[in-house]
Amino acid sequence: MTLVLPRETAVDGRFGPYGGRYVPETLVAALDDLTALYDAARSDPAFWDEYHGILRDFVGRPSALSDAPRFSAAVGARVLLKREDLNHTGAHKINNAVGQVLLAQRMGKRRIIAETGAGQHGVATATVCARFGLECVVYMGSEDVARQAPNVYRMQLLGATVVPVTSGTRTLKDATNEALRDWVGNVPDTHYIIGSVVGPDPFPRMVRDFQSVIGSEARRQVIERTGALPGTVVACVGGGSNALGMFAGFVEDPEVELVGVEAAGEGIDTVAHSATLTLGRPGVLHGSLSYLLQDADGQVLPAHSVSAGLDYPGVGPEHSWLRDTGRVRYASAGDREALDSFRSFTRMEGIIPALETSHAIAWIAAQAGQWAPDHVVLLCLSGRGDKDVAHVAALEGAPA
Amino acid sequence: MLEAAAESSDIVEVGVPFSDPLADGPTIQASTFRALENGMTLPRTLELVADAAIDRPVVLFSYLNPILQYGVERLVRDAASAGVHGILLTDLPVGGDAALERALGDGPLDLIRLVAPTTTSERLQASVKHAEGFIYLVARLGVTGASSEVAAGLEASIARVRAATTLPIAVGFGISRPDQAAAVARHADGVVVGSALVDVLGRDGVAASARFLAELRAALGPA
């Protein structure tokens, strides 16, 4: 298939005022080189042929579009699922890892670094590094290393070195700091595969493009299945890569409602949440200007979510722009609702969704009765929940 | 501590703590978190500088976000009246945000620019063009922190910057011992010692830090 890349809305690496490159001088030359390389690759059919070949033969794309009959009946609308959980390694993260490893090859860089929260991006990166014979170092907060032991072992099995990060909040934010520190020290021979639509330009638009395969496939599949565009498209938002990848297929269709669901944690009236677009204000973290959870002094506040993949105080700069322009509506769902949806959706549909995805499911469930029965809701089922089973069992006090 | 620093230094750099110091190594990370736990903020940093009233130029060393939240124009005004002469922002490279760079550099403060080993000739020219005060040459790749050896090729890096500007050149990153400082000072106009001093201060206190600074000073020869 041919990928229809999203129309580029960034100007000089910025979406409206958001984005940019707020990084140490040491990294600027590498970002200039990466931008030049990516801009050339973006219009090179041979690059996309290679990318799509790997997505087809190694990742297993196109991913399926499933009806969700029992969940649809409960919601009172027709819910369709874009099955990123069926990808090799179990989530959308692999789409981006494949694209970036091809760029690293073109740059002749033999060492890859990455950050990871729950471990899905780390596993995806370790996987493509094994496939291409590259050295791989993954930074992971020590809290997450303890919570996600099976993914740590998966990465090690794939040949990656997992470095526990003990600074700051010991989660994804600090793993990202540590990966950036590594990059500043090793930039001539190292490529940093950022896992979401965050970081300095060109990462936010590059990662979006590599994830736009989700929306491009889904748009075609939904039209084939239903004869029309969906009414509402829903995705969870941490950094926001699965959401931007899905929205890319529909952002130019004004009649399609786009909804991003953030993690409300213990509630948006508490301090324990990750609802950056709902409660943050613009600031600079990890190389770009975007909405940010921060205190009055500009210190970044710790985020909270039951799902490690949404537990991040920042968000991709393009989301900030889509929020301000009103093109995307951002809502939130809490830990409790996500856990309830994790269990009920699994029993209704025979699919265990990732806890991240469960937030988007919870938002749809909360709209029950609001839509006409023939209203089509497209959900980005961003990943499978096998990684979360032990965690949820422990939270629920069930025998693991 | 500021008085002790002024005693042996020509310029005193004062760090503003930020929760996510991604250009700093373990020493400055640890001191940052200690400072934040003890309630240090940008306004309190400015008070500290004003109260110390040292007779040396003071350069604020910060990440961008605390400055943005404080307000750039307000910062320029308040820092200048607190006795700050210059500002150095780790995550605002030349050309990174033209409006912000103008707002910071056009007023009474010198916006100090950094040049790294990876800076291209084109960027070097852009960096020195609007530079004020001095050029901060980053001695090696990587984050702040002590190194056992001064980076290879440093002499050539200094010469490259020297050819592009008449401003004084200060070299930092990885310089922790008097012999290293002396070696760098043979080619550079200034030597920046940060992490090594914070190490001594955290471990042995202010008096030991003053002695350490005096040793560094002595190694550089007369002021």
Side-chain angles (χ1 to χ4, degrees):
Chain A
M1 66 161 271
T2 49
L3 173 70
V4 184
L5 285 173
R7 187 170 61 82
E8 185 55 76
T9 53
V11 178
D12 293 335
R14 285 178 191 272
F15 304 92
Y18 303 111
R21 269 189 197 168
Y22 299 93
V23 294
E25 171 65 25
T26 304
L27 292 180
V28 176
L31 292 171
D32 279 339
D33 290 349
L34 182 60
T35 302
L37 178 89
Y38 182 63
D39 287 346
R42 199 174 195 263
S43 53
D44 176 5
F47 177 81
W48 295 106
D49 281 350
E50 189 176 8
Y51 169 76
H52 280 293
I54 296 167
L55 289 190
R56 184 188 61 228
D57 302 334
F58 185 65
V59 174
R61 299 203 76 97
S63 65
L65 183 77
S66 302
D67 263 281
R70 297 182 62 206
F71 183 63
S72 294
V75 170
R78 183 175 182 187
V79 180
L80 295 172
L81 315 172
K82 179 59 176 164
R83 301 290 306 278
E84 295 300 300
D85 60 312
L86 295 178
N87 291 337
H88 180 40
T89 72
H92 68 290
K93 294 291 186 187
I94 190 88
N95 303 327
N96 168 49
V98 167
Q100 287 205 49
V101 84
L102 291 178
L103 292 176
Q105 287 226 306
R106 288 193 168 197
M107 289 185 280
K109 293 190 172 182
R110 307 282 307 161
R111 181 173 179 270
I112 300 293
I113 57 172
E115 86 295 340
T116 199
Q120 290 306 107
H121 175 58
V123 168
T125 303
T127 297
V128 296
C129 287
R131 167 74 175 67
F132 287 90
L134 304 176
E135 183 188 349
C136 181
V137 178
V138 179
Y139 291 92
M140 188 169 184
S142 58
E143 287 286 317
D144 293 333
V145 168
R147 284 190 292 201
Q148 309 282 343
N151 267 345
V152 174
Y153 187 60
R154 282 171 85 192
M155 289 184 264
Q156 289 167 341
L157 209 52
L158 288 157
T161 304
V162 180
V163 182
V165 176
T166 55
S167 59
T169 57
R170 304 173 180 206
T171 58
L172 178 57
K173 167 177 86 81
D174 302 279
T176 307
N177 289 337
E178 205 57 35
L180 283 163
R181 289 182 188 118
D182 178 313
W183 207 29
V184 174
N186 299 292
V187 66
D189 71 347
T190 297
H191 177 62
Y192 177 16
I193 300 191
I194 293 186
S196 192
V197 286
V198 301
D201 183 70
F203 284 102
R205 54 197 171 94
M206 204 166 76
V207 176
R208 174 207 59 205
D209 286 349
F210 290 138
Q211 293 295 359
S212 70
V213 66
I214 303 172
S216 174
E217 287 176 6
R219 189 176 201 283
R220 180 174 49 78
Q221 290 167 320
V222 171
I223 291 172
E224 271 174 19
R225 182 82 49 94
T226 70
L229 286 166
T232 303
V233 177
V234 186
C236 62
V237 176
S241 68
N242 90 83
L244 275 191
M246 177 58 107
F247 295 165
F250 305 95
V251 74
E252 307 266 351
D253 303 304
E255 67 271 40
V256 179
E257 179 191 29
L258 305 177
V259 181
V261 183
E262 295 189 302
E266 292 171 13
I268 55 174
D269 51 351
T270 74
V271 294
H273 61 78
S274 303
T276 309
L277 289 162
T278 308
L279 295 169
R281 45 176 220 286
V284 169
L285 177 69
H286 297 151
S288 59
L289 177 72
S290 195
Y291 279 79
L292 182 62
L293 297 178
Q294 56 182 320
D295 68 14
D297 292 314
Q299 308 297 343
V300 180
L301 291 169
H304 166 79
S305 171
V306 68
S307 85
L310 302 183
D311 192 349
Y312 183 67
V315 67
E318 191 167 0
H319 281 292
S320 292
W321 183 232
L322 290 167
R323 172 200 186 277
D324 284 7
T325 59
R327 178 63 190 95
V328 178
R329 169 179 169 197
Y330 293 92
S332 61
D335 289 352
R336 186 71 258 160
E337 297 76 33
L339 285 164
D340 287 348
S341 289
F342 176 86
R343 281 189 303 182
S344 60
F345 186 86
T346 298
R347 290 197 177 190
M348 266 189 255
E349 295 300 335
I351 298 167
I352 304 176
L355 272 180
E356 290 77 12
T357 315
S358 299
H359 287 74
I361 297 172
W363 181 83
I364 295 172
Q367 314 308 306
Q370 304 289 311
W371 288 304
D374 62 346
H375 187 86
V376 172
V377 178
L378 172 63
L379 165 70
C380 186
L381 212 150
S382 54
R384 71 177 81 126
D386 305 44
K387 68 180 175 59
D388 299 310
V389 168
H391 183 204
V392 173
L395 286 173
E396 308 285 311
Chain B
M1 184 60 222
L2 279 172
E3 287 82 355
E7 190 79 9
S8 300
S9 321
D10 302 298
I11 296 173
V12 177
E13 197 180 276
V14 178
V16 178
F18 176 52
S19 54
D20 292 83
L22 56 83
D24 284 298
T27 297
I28 304 290
Q29 287 175 46
S31 66
T32 290
F33 295 130
R34 277 199 304 275
L36 289 174
E37 276 169 20
N38 291 324
M40 185 49 71
T41 59
L42 176 56
R44 288 191 59 192
T45 308
L46 295 179
E47 274 171 38
L48 208 120
V49 172
D51 291 348
I54 56 174
D55 61 349
R56 292 285 187 277
V58 171
V59 172
L60 273 192
F61 183 97
S62 183
Y63 289 83
L64 188 54
N65 202 49
I67 307 288
L68 284 181
Q69 304 310 320
Y70 189 82
V72 172
E73 279 163 25
R74 181 176 163 219
L75 183 271
V76 169
R77 192 187 60 228
D78 294 355
S81 65
V84 172
H85 294 72
I87 183 162
L88 194 159
L89 294 166
T90 327
D91 49 358
L92 182 63
V94 170
D97 190 322
L100 209 56
E101 290 168 79
R102 273 196 304 278
L104 284 163
D106 282 356
L109 299 186
D110 285 342
L111 179 58
I112 310 298
R113 307 318 317 231
L114 291 109
V115 171
T118 51
T119 302
T120 59
S121 332
E122 209 182 347
R123 284 191 59 76
L124 175 60
Q125 291 305 327
S127 302
V128 300
K129 195 172 174 193
H130 300 291
E132 306 170 296
F134 60 90
I135 298 293
Y136 189 129
L137 175 62
V138 176
R140 55 160 167 74
L141 298 178
V143 293
T144 59
S147 303
S148 54
E149 283 166 50
V150 172
L154 183 56
E155 193 180 333
S157 297
I158 296 170
R160 185 171 81 113
V161 180
R162 187 78 77 197
T165 181
T166 55
L167 284 175
I169 301 167
V171 177
F173 280 51
I175 302 165
S176 57
R177 296 191 315 261
D179 63 304
Q180 292 173 326
V184 172
R186 277 196 282 279
H187 309 286
D189 306 304
V191 179
V192 186
V193 177
S195 297
L197 176 61
V198 170
D199 271 335
V200 175
L201 180 62
R203 197 176 54 230
D204 302 324
V206 173
S209 304
R211 284 194 298 278
F212 175 62
L213 285 167
E215 284 167 30
L216 286 168
R217 176 87 251 174
L220 298 180

